Amino acid sequence: SGELMSEVPYVNDKKEGTVKKYYIGEKIMEEIDYLDGKKDGPYKRYFYTGETYVEGNYLMGSKDSLSTKYFEDGSVRETGGYKMGGKDGEWKFYNRKGVLTRAITYKGGVDVAALAAAAAAEKKVADKNRYQPKGSGITQEAVRKQQKRRQPLLPPACLVH
């Protein structure tokens, strides 16, 4: 249709400078700086209306800075940092009225609290399996009683006459 979709400057066959992408109608969609073929520097993405949707920085091809995402009215939707491409540090999430709805701490792109909860759940399952092997018929109560009597506890399959 002849409409401008993007502007991509090259130096020595590598992207160099600000790459711009456009919505239909030639409204700016995105601006990302490149250095030696890699994203490096500020980036911005826009709503079709022209308002900023998200902004942050790249360093040698990876997101590596504070990033802020917005609602169409310009109020902050979420904010947090990136380190070498992964979410890092505290991320805050807001509703349209600007009220903080949750905060999540990341390290190396992983939700720290979710990781701790998963590890605790795995430990609980491992502990349960240690005291009650599947199909053994041995209960935790039987293990406790045996420990008090200090007698060997055999699963029912071992009591063959």
Side-chain angles (χ1 to χ4, degrees):
S1 69
E3 290 192 41
L4 183 62
M5 294 178 64
S6 64
E7 294 177 79
V8 185
Y10 282 86
V11 174
N12 297 325
D13 294 327
K14 293 181 181 179
K15 292 178 184 176
E16 184 85 26
T18 303
V19 171
K20 296 179 182 182
K21 294 181 182 177
Y22 299 92
Y23 289 107
I24 294 175
E26 299 186 15
K27 290 185 177 188
I28 189 75
M29 177 193 306
E30 182 177 73
E31 296 175 298
I32 302 175
D33 281 0
Y34 280 79
L35 180 64
D36 199 31
K38 293 182 180 178
K39 295 176 183 178
D40 196 279
Y43 74 91
K44 260 189 177 184
R45 218 164 176 185
Y46 301 91
F47 287 103
Y48 186 76
T49 58
E51 299 297 323
T52 301
Y53 170 64
V54 64
E55 60 186 340
N57 275 291
Y58 279 91
L59 180 64
M60 298 186 314
S62 296
K63 289 182 180 178
D64 199 80
S65 72
L66 178 66
S67 178
T68 305
K69 198 177 276 187
Y70 302 91
F71 289 106
E72 278 191 69
D73 67 4
S75 60
V76 174
R77 182 179 186 166
E78 66 185 61
T79 186
Y82 283 95
K83 188 172 187 179
M84 297 184 337
K87 288 182 176 181
D88 199 75
E90 186 176 47
W91 278 68
K92 294 180 180 180
F93 300 84
Y94 302 88
N95 65 20
R96 291 184 178 275
K97 294 178 181 177
V99 176
L100 180 67
T101 58
R102 64 185 164 139
I104 300 174
T105 300
Y106 291 90
K107 184 165 181 82
V110 178
D111 177 341
V112 174
L115 185 62
E122 271 186 36
K123 183 180 181 323
K124 188 175 181 180
V125 168
D127 287 348
K128 181 180 178 189
N129 289 340
R130 185 174 63 220
Y131 293 112
Q132 187 176 350
K134 191 172 184 175
S136 70
I138 300 171
T139 64
Q140 287 180 348
E141 183 179 331
V143 170
R144 282 192 290 277
K145 285 181 182 178
Q146 178 274 333
Q147 287 171 340
K148 286 182 183 177
R149 293 190 309 258
R150 296 181 187 247
Q151 296 175 355
L153 182 65
L154 301 173
C158 295
L159 301 176
V160 178
H161 297 4

